[in-house]
Amino acid sequence: MTILLEEETDVAFDFDYQTLAKDVITAACDAEKCPYEAEVNLTLVDNDSIHQINREHRQIDRPTDVLSFPMLSYETPADFSHVEDFVEDNFNPDTGELLLGDIILSVDKVKEQACSYGHSEKREFAFLILHSMLHLFGYDHETEQEREKMEARQRSILEDLGITR
């Protein structure tokens, strides 16, 4: 598995965020039974940067906590049955890894939300990466049924990692 981690802002957490990111991404791939070695891009930014990206890509003029840019389309979440139909588009030609997509995470929002939700920055960081990973696997929360399914997956994977509120 390749995790390309870019830091476009100062990152001052009191935990090993690089190892935690790897652990969460790996756990998500394992939980969703990804049958391939995978590649994920994780970029850590500040609120100003994510605000600009949110405005450009989603036409929402405010900062958000995390953005997901999936590379794959799924008929149902984590259905990998068709990814080999488009090898040139779905796999890195140099490594052969499945290109899952990009995660852009606001470090400022991790800190803000951890404080407002009353849990650790470590938990918020892990939750946001996992939430985004599930989007990269085709999960969404547009309907109540989708939201419930996605939240159940999040809880289960975080519990397996021993990360609780």
PDB file of all heavy atoms in Angstrom, residues 53-72:
ATOM      1  N   ILE A  53     -10.591  25.172  -1.834  1.00  0.00           N
ATOM      2  CA  ILE A  53     -10.873  23.932  -2.582  1.00  0.00           C
ATOM      3  C   ILE A  53     -12.374  23.618  -2.537  1.00  0.00           C
ATOM      4  O   ILE A  53     -12.964  23.225  -3.555  1.00  0.00           O
ATOM      5  CB  ILE A  53     -10.047  22.765  -2.014  1.00  0.00           C
ATOM      6  CG1 ILE A  53      -8.552  23.027  -2.203  1.00  0.00           C
ATOM      7  CG2 ILE A  53     -10.441  21.441  -2.676  1.00  0.00           C
ATOM      8  CD1 ILE A  53      -7.657  22.136  -1.364  1.00  0.00           C
ATOM      9  N   ASN A  54     -12.991  23.817  -1.391  1.00  0.00           N
ATOM     10  CA  ASN A  54     -14.420  23.568  -1.234  1.00  0.00           C
ATOM     11  C   ASN A  54     -15.230  24.492  -2.146  1.00  0.00           C
ATOM     12  O   ASN A  54     -16.193  24.072  -2.783  1.00  0.00           O
ATOM     13  CB  ASN A  54     -14.825  23.776   0.235  1.00  0.00           C
ATOM     14  CG  ASN A  54     -16.076  23.038   0.624  1.00  0.00           C
ATOM     15  OD1 ASN A  54     -16.446  22.032   0.026  1.00  0.00           O
ATOM     16  ND2 ASN A  54     -16.736  23.531   1.653  1.00  0.00           N
ATOM     17  N   ARG A  55     -14.799  25.742  -2.230  1.00  0.00           N
ATOM     18  CA  ARG A  55     -15.479  26.717  -3.098  1.00  0.00           C
ATOM     19  C   ARG A  55     -15.311  26.335  -4.569  1.00  0.00           C
ATOM     20  O   ARG A  55     -16.268  26.363  -5.337  1.00  0.00           O
ATOM     21  CB  ARG A  55     -14.933  28.117  -2.830  1.00  0.00           C
ATOM     22  CG  ARG A  55     -15.646  29.216  -3.609  1.00  0.00           C
ATOM     23  CD  ARG A  55     -15.190  30.626  -3.246  1.00  0.00           C
ATOM     24  NE  ARG A  55     -13.757  30.769  -3.274  1.00  0.00           N
ATOM     25  CZ  ARG A  55     -13.005  31.128  -2.233  1.00  0.00           C
ATOM     26  NH1 ARG A  55     -13.558  31.400  -1.067  1.00  0.00           N
ATOM     27  NH2 ARG A  55     -11.696  31.227  -2.346  1.00  0.00           N
ATOM     28  N   GLU A  56     -14.113  25.947  -4.963  1.00  0.00           N
ATOM     29  CA  GLU A  56     -13.835  25.621  -6.364  1.00  0.00           C
ATOM     30  C   GLU A  56     -14.520  24.335  -6.819  1.00  0.00           C
ATOM     31  O   GLU A  56     -15.038  24.266  -7.930  1.00  0.00           O
ATOM     32  CB  GLU A  56     -12.322  25.472  -6.582  1.00  0.00           C
ATOM     33  CG  GLU A  56     -11.571  26.781  -6.534  1.00  0.00           C
ATOM     34  CD  GLU A  56     -10.060  26.588  -6.575  1.00  0.00           C
ATOM     35  OE1 GLU A  56      -9.587  25.457  -6.826  1.00  0.00           O
ATOM     36  OE2 GLU A  56      -9.348  27.582  -6.337  1.00  0.00           O
ATOM     37  N   HIS A  57     -14.524  23.307  -5.964  1.00  0.00           N
ATOM     38  CA  HIS A  57     -15.007  21.992  -6.388  1.00  0.00           C
ATOM     39  C   HIS A  57     -16.453  21.707  -6.013  1.00  0.00           C
ATOM     40  O   HIS A  57     -17.094  20.870  -6.655  1.00  0.00           O
ATOM     41  CB  HIS A  57     -14.102  20.886  -5.840  1.00  0.00           C
ATOM     42  CG  HIS A  57     -12.760  20.881  -6.478  1.00  0.00           C
ATOM     43  ND1 HIS A  57     -12.500  20.199  -7.638  1.00  0.00           N
ATOM     44  CD2 HIS A  57     -11.602  21.504  -6.134  1.00  0.00           C
ATOM     45  CE1 HIS A  57     -11.235  20.398  -7.980  1.00  0.00           C
ATOM     46  NE2 HIS A  57     -10.670  21.183  -7.089  1.00  0.00           N
ATOM     47  N   ARG A  58     -16.940  22.365  -4.950  1.00  0.00           N
ATOM     48  CA  ARG A  58     -18.298  22.057  -4.496  1.00  0.00           C
ATOM     49  C   ARG A  58     -19.201  23.293  -4.474  1.00  0.00           C
ATOM     50  O   ARG A  58     -20.352  23.184  -4.104  1.00  0.00           O
ATOM     51  CB  ARG A  58     -18.242  21.434  -3.097  1.00  0.00           C
ATOM     52  CG  ARG A  58     -17.466  20.112  -3.084  1.00  0.00           C
ATOM     53  CD  ARG A  58     -17.349  19.517  -1.687  1.00  0.00           C
ATOM     54  NE  ARG A  58     -18.637  19.210  -1.126  1.00  0.00           N
ATOM     55  CZ  ARG A  58     -18.964  19.443   0.152  1.00  0.00           C
ATOM     56  NH1 ARG A  58     -18.107  19.973   0.991  1.00  0.00           N
ATOM     57  NH2 ARG A  58     -20.171  19.125   0.596  1.00  0.00           N
ATOM     58  N   GLN A  59     -18.641  24.443  -4.818  1.00  0.00           N
ATOM     59  CA  GLN A  59     -19.366  25.707  -4.800  1.00  0.00           C
ATOM     60  C   GLN A  59     -19.953  26.008  -3.414  1.00  0.00           C
ATOM     61  O   GLN A  59     -21.028  26.593  -3.291  1.00  0.00           O
ATOM     62  CB  GLN A  59     -20.473  25.758  -5.873  1.00  0.00           C
ATOM     63  CG  GLN A  59     -19.949  25.834  -7.306  1.00  0.00           C
ATOM     64  CD  GLN A  59     -19.311  24.537  -7.769  1.00  0.00           C
ATOM     65  OE1 GLN A  59     -19.911  23.471  -7.693  1.00  0.00           O
ATOM     66  NE2 GLN A  59     -18.079  24.608  -8.242  1.00  0.00           N
ATOM     67  N   ILE A  60     -19.235  25.597  -2.379  1.00  0.00           N
ATOM     68  CA  ILE A  60     -19.609  25.893  -1.001  1.00  0.00           C
ATOM     69  C   ILE A  60     -18.546  26.816  -0.440  1.00  0.00           C
ATOM     70  O   ILE A  60     -17.374  26.443  -0.333  1.00  0.00           O
ATOM     71  CB  ILE A  60     -19.742  24.603  -0.159  1.00  0.00           C
ATOM     72  CG1 ILE A  60     -20.858  23.719  -0.752  1.00  0.00           C
ATOM     73  CG2 ILE A  60     -20.030  24.940   1.299  1.00  0.00           C
ATOM     74  CD1 ILE A  60     -21.008  22.379  -0.076  1.00  0.00           C
ATOM     75  N   ASP A  61     -18.964  28.019  -0.093  1.00  0.00           N
ATOM     76  CA  ASP A  61     -18.032  29.085   0.264  1.00  0.00           C
ATOM     77  C   ASP A  61     -17.739  29.121   1.770  1.00  0.00           C
ATOM     78  O   ASP A  61     -18.072  30.085   2.462  1.00  0.00           O
ATOM     79  CB  ASP A  61     -18.585  30.428  -0.219  1.00  0.00           C
ATOM     80  CG  ASP A  61     -17.542  31.530  -0.191  1.00  0.00           C
ATOM     81  OD1 ASP A  61     -16.338  31.220  -0.113  1.00  0.00           O
ATOM     82  OD2 ASP A  61     -17.938  32.709  -0.230  1.00  0.00           O
ATOM     83  N   ARG A  62     -17.143  28.039   2.257  1.00  0.00           N
ATOM     84  CA  ARG A  62     -16.724  27.969   3.653  1.00  0.00           C
ATOM     85  C   ARG A  62     -15.734  26.819   3.807  1.00  0.00           C
ATOM     86  O   ARG A  62     -15.723  25.908   2.989  1.00  0.00           O
ATOM     87  CB  ARG A  62     -17.915  27.774   4.575  1.00  0.00           C
ATOM     88  CG  ARG A  62     -18.664  26.479   4.384  1.00  0.00           C
ATOM     89  CD  ARG A  62     -19.823  26.312   5.382  1.00  0.00           C
ATOM     90  NE  ARG A  62     -20.726  25.267   4.987  1.00  0.00           N
ATOM     91  CZ  ARG A  62     -20.503  23.954   5.094  1.00  0.00           C
ATOM     92  NH1 ARG A  62     -19.363  23.526   5.590  1.00  0.00           N
ATOM     93  NH2 ARG A  62     -21.384  23.066   4.704  1.00  0.00           N
ATOM     94  N   PRO A  63     -14.947  26.863   4.855  1.00  0.00           N
ATOM     95  CA  PRO A  63     -14.056  25.726   5.094  1.00  0.00           C
ATOM     96  C   PRO A  63     -14.868  24.520   5.549  1.00  0.00           C
ATOM     97  O   PRO A  63     -15.958  24.657   6.108  1.00  0.00           O
ATOM     98  CB  PRO A  63     -13.126  26.214   6.204  1.00  0.00           C
ATOM     99  CG  PRO A  63     -13.814  27.356   6.843  1.00  0.00           C
ATOM    100  CD  PRO A  63     -14.762  27.935   5.829  1.00  0.00           C
ATOM    101  N   THR A  64     -14.348  23.357   5.281  1.00  0.00           N
ATOM    102  CA  THR A  64     -14.948  22.108   5.736  1.00  0.00           C
ATOM    103  C   THR A  64     -13.859  21.284   6.394  1.00  0.00           C
ATOM    104  O   THR A  64     -12.684  21.659   6.347  1.00  0.00           O
ATOM    105  CB  THR A  64     -15.619  21.356   4.552  1.00  0.00           C
ATOM    106  OG1 THR A  64     -16.375  20.258   5.061  1.00  0.00           O
ATOM    107  CG2 THR A  64     -14.594  20.865   3.544  1.00  0.00           C
ATOM    108  N   ASP A  65     -14.227  20.165   6.976  1.00  0.00           N
ATOM    109  CA  ASP A  65     -13.234  19.382   7.701  1.00  0.00           C
ATOM    110  C   ASP A  65     -12.421  18.466   6.793  1.00  0.00           C
ATOM    111  O   ASP A  65     -11.214  18.357   6.927  1.00  0.00           O
ATOM    112  CB  ASP A  65     -13.865  18.589   8.846  1.00  0.00           C
ATOM    113  CG  ASP A  65     -15.113  17.809   8.444  1.00  0.00           C
ATOM    114  OD1 ASP A  65     -15.396  17.678   7.232  1.00  0.00           O
ATOM    115  OD2 ASP A  65     -15.821  17.339   9.360  1.00  0.00           O
ATOM    116  N   VAL A  66     -13.086  17.814   5.843  1.00  0.00           N
ATOM    117  CA  VAL A  66     -12.388  16.876   4.975  1.00  0.00           C
ATOM    118  C   VAL A  66     -13.105  16.802   3.635  1.00  0.00           C
ATOM    119  O   VAL A  66     -14.324  16.927   3.569  1.00  0.00           O
ATOM    120  CB  VAL A  66     -12.292  15.471   5.646  1.00  0.00           C
ATOM    121  CG1 VAL A  66     -13.652  14.818   5.791  1.00  0.00           C
ATOM    122  CG2 VAL A  66     -11.313  14.568   4.930  1.00  0.00           C
ATOM    123  N   LEU A  67     -12.329  16.636   2.599  1.00  0.00           N
ATOM    124  CA  LEU A  67     -12.869  16.452   1.248  1.00  0.00           C
ATOM    125  C   LEU A  67     -12.331  15.145   0.689  1.00  0.00           C
ATOM    126  O   LEU A  67     -11.169  14.799   0.903  1.00  0.00           O
ATOM    127  CB  LEU A  67     -12.455  17.612   0.333  1.00  0.00           C
ATOM    128  CG  LEU A  67     -13.066  18.968   0.660  1.00  0.00           C
ATOM    129  CD1 LEU A  67     -12.362  20.076  -0.126  1.00  0.00           C
ATOM    130  CD2 LEU A  67     -14.555  18.970   0.370  1.00  0.00           C
ATOM    131  N   SER A  68     -13.187  14.450  -0.026  1.00  0.00           N
ATOM    132  CA  SER A  68     -12.832  13.169  -0.630  1.00  0.00           C
ATOM    133  C   SER A  68     -12.998  13.281  -2.131  1.00  0.00           C
ATOM    134  O   SER A  68     -14.029  13.755  -2.604  1.00  0.00           O
ATOM    135  CB  SER A  68     -13.765  12.072  -0.122  1.00  0.00           C
ATOM    136  OG  SER A  68     -13.844  12.077   1.275  1.00  0.00           O
ATOM    137  N   PHE A  69     -12.003  12.812  -2.849  1.00  0.00           N
ATOM    138  CA  PHE A  69     -12.051  12.792  -4.305  1.00  0.00           C
ATOM    139  C   PHE A  69     -11.782  11.372  -4.775  1.00  0.00           C
ATOM    140  O   PHE A  69     -10.640  10.993  -5.041  1.00  0.00           O
ATOM    141  CB  PHE A  69     -11.037  13.789  -4.889  1.00  0.00           C
ATOM    142  CG  PHE A  69     -11.340  15.209  -4.539  1.00  0.00           C
ATOM    143  CD1 PHE A  69     -10.703  15.827  -3.479  1.00  0.00           C
ATOM    144  CD2 PHE A  69     -12.278  15.922  -5.268  1.00  0.00           C
ATOM    145  CE1 PHE A  69     -10.986  17.140  -3.144  1.00  0.00           C
ATOM    146  CE2 PHE A  69     -12.574  17.239  -4.946  1.00  0.00           C
ATOM    147  CZ  PHE A  69     -11.934  17.852  -3.879  1.00  0.00           C
ATOM    148  N   PRO A  70     -12.854  10.543  -4.856  1.00  0.00           N
ATOM    149  CA  PRO A  70     -12.685   9.154  -5.269  1.00  0.00           C
ATOM    150  C   PRO A  70     -12.246   9.044  -6.723  1.00  0.00           C
ATOM    151  O   PRO A  70     -12.671   9.823  -7.570  1.00  0.00           O
ATOM    152  CB  PRO A  70     -14.078   8.545  -5.096  1.00  0.00           C
ATOM    153  CG  PRO A  70     -14.886   9.545  -4.365  1.00  0.00           C
ATOM    154  CD  PRO A  70     -14.230  10.869  -4.542  1.00  0.00           C
ATOM    155  N   MET A  71     -11.422   8.066  -6.993  1.00  0.00           N
ATOM    156  CA  MET A  71     -10.981   7.792  -8.363  1.00  0.00           C
ATOM    157  C   MET A  71     -11.846   6.721  -9.018  1.00  0.00           C
ATOM    158  O   MET A  71     -11.829   6.576 -10.229  1.00  0.00           O
ATOM    159  CB  MET A  71      -9.526   7.320  -8.365  1.00  0.00           C
ATOM    160  CG  MET A  71      -8.524   8.374  -7.963  1.00  0.00           C
ATOM    161  SD  MET A  71      -8.385   9.716  -9.137  1.00  0.00           S
ATOM    162  CE  MET A  71      -7.668   8.870 -10.535  1.00  0.00           C
ATOM    163  N   LEU A  72     -12.577   5.970  -8.215  1.00  0.00           N
ATOM    164  CA  LEU A  72     -13.354   4.842  -8.722  1.00  0.00           C
ATOM    165  C   LEU A  72     -14.847   5.115  -8.632  1.00  0.00           C
ATOM    166  O   LEU A  72     -15.297   5.872  -7.781  1.00  0.00           O
ATOM    167  CB  LEU A  72     -13.038   3.582  -7.912  1.00  0.00           C
ATOM    168  CG  LEU A  72     -11.581   3.163  -7.836  1.00  0.00           C
ATOM    169  CD1 LEU A  72     -11.411   2.020  -6.857  1.00  0.00           C
ATOM    170  CD2 LEU A  72     -11.065   2.777  -9.214  1.00  0.00           C
TER     171      LEU A  72
END
